[in-house]
Amino acid sequence: MHSLAQEIKAFSRNNLRKQCTRVTTLTGKKIIETWKDARIHVEEVEPSGGGGCGYVQDLSSDLQVGVVKPWLLLGSQDAARDLDTLRKHKVTHILNVAYGVENAFLSEFTYKNISILDLPETNILSYFPECFEFIEQARIKDGVVLVHCNAGVSRAATIVIGFLMNSEEISFTSAFSLVKNARPSICPNSGFMEQLRTYQESKESNKYDKIPEVERDNTS
């Protein structure tokens, strides 16, 4: 049986199944994100269109919410647009990192929008500070924050994993495991996985730099 560490190390974009995500905005506009040739293509389609994805689509609502911490949740755009689900989990804050998904209940929750494309070359680390600040502010106010993107699989999962690595000072492997246990469907794209590894290396390097020189000499 492969360990989680081996599974993460062996992660390859080539092993991912092809997928597309259908987004319906509050105005009725329909957008489809499709993986093709290792890139994500965004297109707008007519409401009456037959799909155009080339793949079998799962149009059922995904209301499963991953409870990473009692105050930190991870889910899809469907959960973010279902008021009963949000109230059930006592959500007070919503971090929306999707592309083309509008906020549904502006008078009910505190929102923050950051449009992030689910592309391996997207520098998702550059969004970490403002995302982490919003999540931390929700926690300080005894709130419950839901982090979501379109499918709640890649972008939002990466943000939550990075947040745990930073706030809990744990490794990428440990953070990935915690988030995957809460929401088994997570699958950050290969670029985000590499960036999370880089993020861990930078944190380890910074931690070492903060060790007093005498202490470093004693450990060498």
Side-chain angles (χ1 to χ4, degrees), residues 137-184:
Q137 285 301 312
R139 185 190 67 80
I140 290 173
K141 296 176 181 178
D142 294 323
V144 175
V145 58
L146 170 70
V147 183
H148 82 89
C149 49
N150 294 81
V153 167
S154 182
R155 287 162 286 193
T158 301
I159 295 298
V160 173
I161 291 169
F163 176 81
L164 292 176
M165 292 171 66
N166 183 64
S167 65
E168 304 286 315
E169 296 188 346
I170 59 178
S171 68
F172 164 52
T173 301
S174 297
F176 183 93
S177 178
L178 284 172
V179 177
K180 193 167 184 64
N181 285 338
R183 185 167 167 80

Side-chain angles (χ1 to χ4, degrees), residues 62-75:
D62 175 13
L63 300 180
Q64 190 270 334
V65 173
V67 181
V68 181
K69 297 280 185 180
W71 47 270
L72 177 58
L73 313 177
L74 171 64

Side-chain angles (χ1 to χ4, degrees):
M1 178 181 291
H2 291 293
S3 67
L4 178 62
Q6 289 174 318
E7 178 185 343
I8 294 172
K9 187 175 181 181
F11 183 91
S12 170
R13 181 174 57 209
N14 296 328
N15 295 329
L16 295 177
R17 63 181 177 83
K18 294 182 175 64
Q19 68 177 53
C20 69
T21 302
R22 178 183 290 269
V23 181
T24 302
T25 68
L26 294 179
T27 59
K29 181 191 298 182
K30 293 185 181 295
I31 297 171
I32 290 179
E33 291 185 342
T34 307
W35 276 100
K36 183 179 180 182
D37 299 327
R39 298 183 66 85
I40 194 165
H41 299 260
V42 180
E43 61 179 318
E44 183 177 341
V45 297
E46 295 297 325
S48 59
C53 261
Y55 311 117
V56 176
Q57 299 177 52
D58 180 3
L59 300 180
S60 59
S61 294
D62 175 13
L63 300 180
Q64 190 270 334
V65 173
V67 181
V68 181
K69 297 280 185 180
W71 47 270
L72 177 58
L73 313 177
L74 171 64
S76 70
Q77 61 160 323
D78 296 329
R81 297 177 63 184
D82 188 272
L83 191 56
D84 289 340
T85 296
L86 296 173
R87 286 176 172 168
K88 172 185 173 183
H89 290 278
K90 300 180 180 179
V91 171
T92 58
H93 294 65
I94 298 178
L95 175 57
N96 177 357
V97 295
Y99 178 90
V101 176
E102 300 172 35
N103 300 323
F105 310 106
L106 294 175
S107 62
E108 299 280 341
F109 309 101
T110 300
Y111 283 93
K112 184 173 184 65
N113 285 72
I114 305 175
S115 293
I116 303 175
L117 287 175
D118 190 12
L119 296 169
E121 59 265 32
T122 295
N123 181 9
I124 198 165
L125 298 185
S126 67
Y127 299 103
F128 276 11
E130 55 184 324
C131 288
F132 294 176
E133 182 181 3
F134 181 79
I135 296 172
E136 186 62 25
Q137 285 301 312
R139 185 190 67 80
I140 290 173
K141 296 176 181 178
D142 294 323
V144 175
V145 58
L146 170 70
V147 183
H148 82 89
C149 49
N150 294 81
V153 167
S154 182
R155 287 162 286 193
T158 301
I159 295 298
V160 173
I161 291 169
F163 176 81
L164 292 176
M165 292 171 66
N166 183 64
S167 65
E168 304 286 315
E169 296 188 346
I170 59 178
S171 68
F172 164 52
T173 301
S174 297
F176 183 93
S177 178
L178 284 172
V179 177
K180 193 167 184 64
N181 285 338
R183 185 167 167 80
S185 62
I186 71 160
C187 188
N189 72 51
S190 59
F192 293 172
M193 293 284 280
E194 278 303 315
Q195 289 179 63
L196 285 168
R197 293 190 187 96
T198 300
Y199 186 59
Q200 174 172 295
E201 291 170 1
S202 68
K203 289 182 68 62
E204 289 175 347
S205 176
N206 290 337
K207 187 175 181 179
Y208 179 78
D209 289 341
K210 292 177 182 178
I211 298 176
E213 188 173 344
V214 173
E215 212 175 304
R216 266 184 270 170
D217 291 339
N218 292 335
T219 59
S220 61

